[in-house]
Amino acid sequence: MVFHNFEELIAKVKGEPSRKVMAVACANDEHTLEAVVHARREGIVEPLLVGDRKVIKEILSGLGEEIQEENIYDVPMEDLKGACEKAVKLVRDGKADFLMKGKVDTKIILKEVVNKEYGLGQGKLMSHFSIFQVPGYHKLIVPVDGGMVPYPDLQQKKEIIENTVDTLVSMGYDCPKVGVLACVEKVNPKMPESVDGAELQAMNERGEIKNCIVEGPIQYDCAMRKDIADFKGLESKIAGDPDVLVAPNIHAGNIMGKMYTISCGGKMAGFIVGAKCPIVMVSRGSSAEEKYLSIVVSAAASK
């Protein structure tokens, strides 16, 4: 299974027999609640809202929505740590399936996520999962990691691929195709990105990276267009059809994602993977639509 657009993914999640429960930290934010209400009305999630009860209820009233009192956990607006801690514990205690960041800095909520006493860490790398619907490409594409790991080494790239593939498999994918990007297709010892790409492909061929096809190093144009790969004489199992593109560093991944949305008019969703559950952690300045789509994809990836 692959998803060609967000509409297909939304339809799949709406078709599930039960809603996922989502804990929202610092939920006293209009854009966040607009996305939450949208997802709730679509039958995708049932939210547990943590934050200033009075402000939350005022915003909900303005949106024409009511949520049961017992699903709103009152924490003063200024107690950001307390709100994040409570939301994290709701997931840890099995009361929620996944977590969403509201009006709070990422570093504050991440500190609670990785707390050794009550957090959601699994003792492995956490990475950023972003998925895009881009005009001109026939299915959703996942460039990683543009938001979490600055300069991943070989082992971290392996873990980023594993996090990403595990997430896609949870969403229903069978065998995602992964391209490890560089500016060349041949290994050049002076270009560590090309060396990493070849080694990651070798790991996949040895069965050390499972449930996917990994190819690298590969240039972006050859990955995305089979006719270009054919013209260059590149024999490829993924050319023209990748599901995942692994960037050499956070800058390349971030720029690629921004180009998809700003210049190409694409839509995106994103969240953190590698913890015990997906963590919706889009920018506070993100649109309500982006937050809604991130909720949808996180619900699809929740086990």
Side-chain angles (χ1 to χ4, degrees):
M1 173 189 289
V2 299
F3 293 100
H4 301 90
N5 50 56
F6 283 122
E7 287 70 27
E8 290 182 357
L9 188 53
I10 291 167
K12 177 184 183 295
V13 178
K14 289 172 68 174
E16 296 293 331
S18 61
R19 301 183 184 206
K20 299 293 184 179
V21 179
M22 176 179 66
V24 185
C26 303
N28 34 264
D29 172 67
E30 186 170 0
H31 281 307
T32 299
L33 287 178
E34 186 179 344
V36 170
V37 166
H38 186 183
R40 184 173 188 254
R41 288 174 176 169
E42 293 284 301
I44 294 169
V45 297
E46 190 59 47
L48 303 179
L49 306 177
V50 184
D52 191 299
R53 183 189 299 272
K54 180 181 178 182
V55 176
I56 289 172
K57 293 186 74 172
E58 287 175 353
I59 296 172
L60 289 174
S61 177
L63 294 170
E65 188 78 357
E66 288 187 12
I67 289 179
Q68 305 95 306
E69 287 285 335
E70 60 267 27
N71 285 354
I72 302 177
Y73 296 80
D74 190 24
V75 179
M77 190 180 298
E78 63 273 12
D79 188 6
L80 301 176
K81 179 187 182 302
C84 292
E85 178 181 334
K86 179 62 179 177
V88 166
K89 286 182 176 179
L90 286 170
V91 177
R92 183 206 61 183
D93 295 341
K95 295 180 180 179
D97 299 301
F98 66 101
L99 179 67
M100 181 177 187
K101 182 190 85 161
K103 195 173 185 179
V104 60
D105 286 336
T106 297
K107 63 182 180 181
I108 295 175
I109 190 169
L110 276 181
K111 189 174 181 180
E112 302 307 308
V113 167
V114 301
N115 184 285
K116 292 183 179 179
E117 180 184 349
Y118 54 77
L120 304 174
Q122 299 190 104
K124 65 177 186 177
L125 182 77
M126 289 192 293
S127 57
H128 189 254
F129 179 100
S130 57
I131 186 165
F132 292 77
Q133 179 179 317
V134 184
Y137 193 58
H138 62 283
K139 61 181 177 178
L140 298 178
I141 186 75
V142 181
V144 291
D145 173 341
M148 194 78 177
V149 187
Y151 296 98
D153 59 22
L154 178 63
Q155 178 60 28
Q156 289 174 321
K157 288 177 182 177
K158 175 178 180 286
E159 292 185 60
I160 288 170
I161 292 172
E162 290 172 335
N163 284 346
T164 305
V165 169
D166 287 348
T167 301
L168 289 171
V169 170
S170 294
M171 291 166 59
Y173 282 69
D174 298 317
C175 186
K177 298 176 181 178
V178 180
V180 183
L181 297 180
C183 66
V184 292
E185 270 85 43
K186 295 181 180 179
V187 174
N188 182 338
K190 295 182 179 180
M191 295 180 174
E193 298 82 2
S194 70
V195 177
D196 285 354
E199 181 55 32
L200 290 164
Q201 178 174 325
M203 287 180 182
N204 177 240
E205 291 169 349
R206 293 194 298 263
E208 296 171 26
I209 302 176
K210 304 179 185 301
N211 302 318
C212 61
I213 298 171
V214 178
E215 188 172 311
I218 189 168
Q219 293 188 57
Y220 179 88
D221 56 352
C222 290
M224 298 298 282
R225 291 269 299 274
K226 187 177 187 304
D227 60 325
I228 294 176
D230 290 344
F231 178 77
K232 290 185 176 182
L234 177 68
E235 293 185 10
S236 172
K237 295 179 180 179
I238 72 162
D241 196 42
D243 300 291
V244 179
L245 298 173
V246 180
N249 57 55
I250 197 170
H251 302 288
N254 188 275
I255 291 167
M256 185 162 38
K258 294 277 174 51
M259 288 176 63
Y260 284 159
T261 54
I262 303 302
S263 300
C264 301
K267 297 180 180 180
M268 78 154 290
F271 53 97
I272 302 298
V273 294
K276 291 180 181 178
C277 69
I279 304 170
V280 182
M281 205 169 291
V282 294
S283 168
R284 285 175 292 170
S286 298
S287 67
E289 180 188 42
E290 185 176 318
K291 292 179 179 180
Y292 164 72
L293 291 174
S294 298
I295 293 170
V296 170
V297 181
S298 296
S302 296
K303 297 178 181 178

